[in-house]
Amino acid sequence: MTAVSGRHRVPWTHWVTLALLLALMLGVLTVHAYAGTTNAEPDGTITPSPAGQVLRMEGDRLSGHSLPARTVALTFHGGPDPKWTPKVLDALAARGTHATFFLTGARINEHPGLVRRMVAEGHEVAVTGFRSGDPTTLPGWRLRLELSLAQGALADATGSHTRLFGLPPEPAGRAVQRLGRAGYLLVNADVDGQEPHWEGVGDTVGEIASAAEHGAVVRMRDAGSLTVDAVWATLDVLGRGGYRFTTLSDGLDLADPVVSADGLDRFTGQLLAWAQRNGGALGVLLDVSIAVAAMLAMVRILLQLGLAHTARRLARERALRPEPPPFVPPVSVVVPAHNEAATIVATVRSLVATRYPAEVEIIVVDDGSTDGTAELVHGLALPAVRVLRRANAGKPAALNTGVAAARHEILLMVDADTEFEPETIGHLVRPLADQRVGSVSGNTKVGNRDGLLGRWQHLEYCAGSNLDRQILDALECISTVPGAIGAFRRQALAEVGGVSADTLAEDTDLTIALSRAGWRVSYAQRARAWTEVPGTLSGLYRQRYRWSYGTFQSMWKHRGALVERGRAGRMGRCGLLYLFLYQLVLPLLAPVMDVYVLYGLFIADAPGALVLWTAFLAVQTAGAGYAMRLDGESLRPLWAYPLQQVAYRQLVYLVVIQSLVTALHGTRLRWNSGRSQRAGSETVTS
């Protein structure tokens, strides 16, 4: 496995990628939704246009042109239709006759094979717009959009554009002028082959024969058995009468109205056709994704309620039991450090200031620092503190070096940017009185939470990491003892071979390994440690990328736990499943909610989407508030939670995507590749 550089691409490029992805999704949904609607009916304000079967602009005016006598141009509008168009084509082929088909772009995209058959059999294809209905009633920009989309569909199906446009029975005169100036040949029909007051095919054929004496353009709807019957009857009756059937361009001796589409037009047409054909599937996927996201959120809420109930029950049971004897064994604290000059002094001082009654040995392992980290610790001249130097080999190697040098059975592992409260060590080691417990997770708190980014991370820790840890503790399958604060039994570490360097998330890897070895992992909520979180967006991105990537590595490494028994099986089928759902699935689904709202508000005319999204956000906010109460935190920062869910989760989404891709490729990051520059901010401890 190759190592990748610690320098990642600037996060703004990922934001652009996400924006483009969401825009693409909205674009596909928009095309699909637009294709399923209908243009407005005429509003009665019809301006007469010049007489003639085909109108074209000559100079500044439209002029009309008509077919010769006893010439019939059959035109079919509104297709292609998968059921009836083939029957019409069969009838025309049987009589060796050609016709003109005025198609809608949406139906071209749905049935491009039928359009190609029309062209292959010598028929003329033209457009009436993109959707059914009368596009001439639309504003100018909407009419141009209709035609552009229709021409794109035709370019995808046939590789060409057309200059023919089929006018509706009562076109708006202003639109007729616009179309003429745009270079279109505008077709009026003399006879509507399916007038609603006609009682049958006989009436249709009679009307067509009467008009054909002077040359006629016959308009038929490309759908229904009546059209098919009328085509057969018209061809037979008028054919025996010596009438000529032709396409419009041939009948009027016009220049070929078909224009070859260039490569860009064809590509654009292909994209639009793909969007229309797949927009429905994307919509279904959107609905399913939202349902899954809502279900996961509700499951988490139910687990919270169950956790609260369990906590109250256990508290009552503990109150009835006699107080257990104190468990205060001597402990060794291992602090791995690589270029931690900004924070190492505060960390060591907090460890020395503990009110733990037994011996506390502190070992700082300087892993090849170049910023004077070791010298700062030496300068403190604290008798309980030792400094071990080694060449840079990564955090797991530094931890194993410290563990090997430690004197005591109970070992604490602490990040070099973390400060302990005076009572933390006592709370942290107390669960180890149970010989079945191999490790204990402490409660990591955000110290630099003053800014908006720090407040968001504070909410994430309380309503995310710490809540998950409480839930998994109740289920006895904690998956991560954080590197910031954790206690371990030396025997348990020895059984799993120490801290492994196989993954970037060595804390998750180690925790899962302990559970698979049969050890219980506990959570000490009152053992609080204050850590410094990244103060910049780029630093946060790098840190979360490292965490997410390492978590995926650990899940893959320990996938065998899914089929194991006992505590290992509980970890596999509960802990790993929880990680999969809430570290991978839910972050990937969260932005779908935003797309759903935008789609409902601006495309699908479904304001209920905003109501559903607001309700979903309210449930999440209530869950976050409940998690903060469980963690003993003030609810004042909760005002920032809705904003966090809108903006912050997009960053998490990007992190998950990039981490998943990296993990699938098997690349590997160094220990310090995801670290941000330390600011040494003052820690909030109350």
Side-chain angles (χ1 to χ4, degrees):
M1 292 169 54
T2 58
V4 299
S5 170
R7 296 176 58 121
H8 302 293
R9 289 180 293 171
V10 181
W12 70 265
T13 60
H14 301 300
W15 288 102
V16 172
T17 302
L18 175 61
L20 291 175
L21 177 62
L22 297 181
L24 176 62
M25 292 177 62
L26 283 173
V28 171
L29 292 169
T30 300
V31 172
H32 177 75
Y34 187 79
T37 57
T38 303
N39 288 316
E41 295 299 323
D43 59 6
T45 58
I46 306 302
T47 302
S49 57
Q53 296 161 338
V54 174
L55 309 177
R56 64 180 175 184
M57 187 66 69
E58 295 180 356
D60 295 332
R61 301 181 61 184
L62 283 172
S63 62
H65 302 267
S66 299
L67 291 171
R70 299 181 65 80
T71 301
V72 179
L74 295 177
T75 66
F76 299 90
H77 291 245
D81 183 274
K83 180 177 180 180
W84 301 109
T85 300
K87 298 180 183 298
V88 171
L89 290 172
D90 291 342
L92 294 172
R95 296 295 183 263
T97 302
H98 295 142
T100 302
F101 288 82
F102 288 94
L103 312 172
T104 59
R107 286 185 169 268
I108 294 174
N109 286 334
E110 292 171 358
H111 312 290
L114 285 175
V115 182
R116 287 190 281 269
R117 178 184 170 184
M118 294 172 188
V119 174
E121 294 181 0
H123 302 291
E124 196 166 55
V125 293
V127 295
T128 59
F130 184 71
R131 305 174 297 174
S132 59
D134 182 2
T136 65
T137 61
L138 300 174
W141 71 271
R142 289 281 300 277
L143 178 58
R144 290 191 295 272
L145 175 63
E146 280 278 317
L147 293 173
S148 176
L149 292 174
Q151 295 283 16
L154 197 59
D156 174 51
T158 67
S160 62
H161 294 315
T162 180
R163 294 188 298 120
L164 282 176
F165 179 86
L167 291 172
E170 296 179 327
R174 184 177 301 176
V176 171
Q177 295 292 328
R178 290 196 192 104
L179 291 166
R181 287 192 295 270
Y184 280 95
L185 304 176
L186 311 175
V187 180
N188 280 314
D190 299 289
V191 180
D192 191 329
Q194 289 186 15
E195 285 291 344
H197 63 270
W198 290 348
E199 297 182 357
V201 172
D203 289 343
T204 303
V205 174
E207 183 72 15
I208 293 173
S210 176
E213 288 296 328
H214 306 287
V217 175
V218 179
R219 172 191 176 98
M220 293 187 174
R221 293 175 181 83
D222 192 2
S225 60
L226 181 59
T227 293
V228 178
D229 293 341
V231 169
W232 281 107
T234 300
L235 293 175
D236 289 341
V237 173
L238 272 69
R240 289 193 297 268
Y243 291 85
R244 175 191 173 206
F245 292 94
T246 183
T247 62
L248 282 167
S249 57
D250 287 343
L252 292 169
D253 197 22
L254 300 172
D256 189 356
V258 175
V259 180
S260 179
D262 60 30
L264 180 60
D265 288 338
R266 295 183 187 186
F267 177 71
T268 303
Q270 290 173 356
L271 287 182
L272 292 171
W274 183 90
Q276 180 184 330
R277 288 193 288 264
N278 293 278
L282 182 59
V284 172
L285 180 62
L286 196 70
D287 292 338
V288 172
S289 299
I290 291 169
V292 172
M295 180 189 69
L296 290 176
M298 291 307 300
V299 167
R300 206 176 197 188
I301 293 293
L302 293 175
L303 287 173
Q304 283 180 282
L305 296 175
L307 171 64
H309 173 75
T310 301
R312 288 193 296 269
R313 178 178 58 80
L314 292 178
R316 289 194 298 268
E317 292 177 358
R318 284 195 296 269
L320 298 175
R321 291 198 299 261
E323 187 71 21
F327 181 71
V328 286
V331 299
S332 296
V333 183
V334 179
V335 185
H338 177 80
N339 291 339
E340 298 284 2
T343 58
I344 189 64
V345 171
T347 296
V348 172
R349 287 190 184 279
S350 74
L351 294 172
V352 172
T354 183
R355 288 197 283 265
Y356 189 67
E359 179 185 358
V360 177
E361 175 192 34
I362 302 170
I363 303 173
V364 177
V365 182
D366 185 357
D367 190 55
S369 297
T370 58
D371 65 346
T373 296
E375 288 74 13
L376 287 173
V377 179
H378 275 301
L380 296 175
L382 297 171
V385 180
R386 286 192 287 159
V387 179
L388 303 179
R389 296 174 181 264
R390 59 163 299 138
N392 179 249
K395 186 176 181 181
L399 288 169
N400 288 328
T401 298
V403 169
R407 298 195 306 268
H408 302 305
E409 171 68 17
I410 303 302
L411 304 162
L412 274 61
M413 296 181 185
V414 180
D415 282 346
D417 61 351
T418 302
E419 297 180 36
F420 274 25
E421 295 181 357
E423 306 295 338
T424 293
I425 293 181
H427 293 309
L428 187 61
V429 303
R430 188 166 298 142
L432 290 168
D434 184 345
Q435 295 299 311
R436 297 171 299 175
V437 176
S439 179
V440 182
S441 168
N443 187 351
T444 308
K445 314 294 288 184
V446 173
N448 53 327
R449 61 176 72 170
D450 292 335
L452 182 60
L453 194 59
R455 187 172 289 111
W456 281 351
Q457 292 177 80
H458 165 54
L459 291 169
E460 181 191 23
Y461 273 59
C462 292
S465 303
N466 290 340
L467 172 62
D468 289 341
R469 207 161 282 124
Q470 292 181 67
I471 291 173
L472 294 175
D473 183 38
L475 299 173
E476 297 187 8
C477 56
I478 291 178
S479 56
T480 303
V481 173
I485 174 172
F488 299 86
R489 197 181 300 277
R490 184 185 293 273
Q491 178 187 352
L493 286 176
E495 284 190 17
V496 298
V499 183
S500 172
D502 291 344
T503 72
L504 204 61
E506 73 288 328
D507 47 6
T508 300
D509 184 6
L510 175 60
T511 306
I512 298 174
L514 290 172
S515 292
R516 294 186 70 185
W519 291 96
R520 180 176 176 183
V521 179
S522 186
Y523 174 56
Q525 184 179 0
R526 298 175 63 188
R528 301 196 296 183
W530 299 82
T531 189
E532 180 182 343
V533 296
T536 65
L537 191 63
S538 60
L540 176 63
Y541 187 92
R542 289 193 297 271
Q543 183 195 67
R544 292 301 189 270
Y545 174 41
R546 177 178 174 271
W547 287 1
S548 181
Y549 172 60
T551 299
F552 294 154
Q553 285 182 309
S554 300
M555 292 168 61
W556 181 253
K557 176 182 177 180
H558 295 285
R559 63 190 182 279
L562 292 168
V563 295
E564 293 176 345
R565 296 184 178 182
R567 192 169 297 280
R570 180 187 292 268
M571 170 56 69
R573 291 181 291 277
C574 184
L576 292 186
L577 179 61
Y578 194 91
L579 281 178
F580 175 76
L581 293 176
Y582 290 98
Q583 297 293 325
L584 176 61
V585 175
L586 190 57
L588 291 179
L589 294 181
V592 175
M593 293 293 297
D594 304 327
V595 174
Y596 178 74
V597 173
L598 294 175
Y599 174 66
L601 285 179
F602 301 109
I603 299 173
D605 192 23
L610 180 61
V611 176
L612 179 61
W613 182 83
T614 303
F616 184 76
L617 182 59
V619 170
Q620 286 186 304
T621 304
Y626 189 65
M628 294 175 73
R629 291 300 299 268
L630 288 175
D631 210 24
E633 289 284 350
S634 167
L635 297 183
R636 286 195 298 272
L638 202 59
W639 66 266
Y641 190 80
L643 182 60
Q644 182 216 44
Q645 291 298 291
V646 173
Y648 185 84
R649 71 182 181 194
Q650 310 303 331
L651 178 142
V652 176
Y653 167 78
L654 288 174
V655 165
V656 170
I657 287 290
Q658 185 176 359
S659 301
L660 184 60
V661 171
T662 305
L664 291 175
H665 279 82
T667 51
R668 185 171 177 181
L669 305 177
R670 294 193 294 269
W671 175 26
N672 62 336
S673 66
R675 292 156 54 85
S676 58
Q677 185 69 35
R678 300 300 187 192
S681 304
E682 182 178 354
T683 298
V684 178
T685 57
S686 61

